[in-house]
Amino acid sequence: MTTTTLLSRIALDDALVAEDHAEESGFLDPLDRITCPVHRRWIHQCCHSDLHVSQVSGHRWCRPCKRALEVAVDEVLGTVTLRCPKCARGSHTRADAQLIAACEASLAAATRIVRRAA
């Protein structure tokens, strides 16, 4: 395992533990996490999973089309976009903005770790 990979893994583990504790203590909304407690990864690495679709809250969900939104993560630019595969609607809801913000923060955190290790 390379040093960069090891440091990234340690940083992710620390972030997961910190967010788990903050969520359990009531200081962090589960939907504002930048790590995924299910996949144990940075949220931008697994937000495409169907587990991250919620018809109730509207996260990654197009209500008019009743479909999951597709996710595009650009790790070079540090951007995240959502799009409905049927109507091509982009992100419009508070839930969409919340997921995009969490993913972009996740990207930034993961990138900082890699830069620090280099």
Side-chain angles (χ1 to χ4, degrees):
M1 183 179 285
T2 66
T3 302
T4 301
T5 305
L6 179 60
L7 289 175
S8 296
R9 184 77 227 166
I10 292 168
L12 173 59
D13 290 343
D14 289 346
L16 281 160
V17 169
E19 286 194 335
D20 289 346
H21 181 68
E23 184 182 341
E24 290 165 8
S25 301
F27 292 108
L28 179 66
D29 183 318
L31 299 173
D32 287 330
R33 291 181 66 122
I34 66 170
T35 62
C36 176
V38 175
H39 297 108
R40 308 305 287 173
R41 301 181 64 84
W42 295 108
I43 195 70
H44 73 273
Q45 294 173 329
C46 64
C47 63
H48 63 278
S49 168
D50 287 342
L51 288 176
H52 293 284
V53 175
S54 174
Q55 296 176 29
V56 174
S57 67
H59 286 82
R60 281 200 50 224
W61 188 250
C62 180
R63 285 196 170 107
C65 297
K66 295 181 174 46
R67 290 186 153 211
L69 299 176
E70 296 173 338
V71 181
V73 177
D74 187 327
E75 293 194 30
V76 174
L77 296 176
T79 60
V80 179
T81 55
L82 302 175
R83 182 184 150 294
C84 176
K86 184 174 180 183
C87 70
R89 175 185 77 82
S91 58
H92 293 301
T93 66
R94 180 179 174 272
D96 295 339
Q98 187 176 33
L99 178 61
I100 289 170
C103 286
E104 289 177 348
S106 168
L107 271 164
T111 302
R112 276 193 306 273
I113 302 306
V114 171
R115 283 189 190 138
R116 199 177 315 143

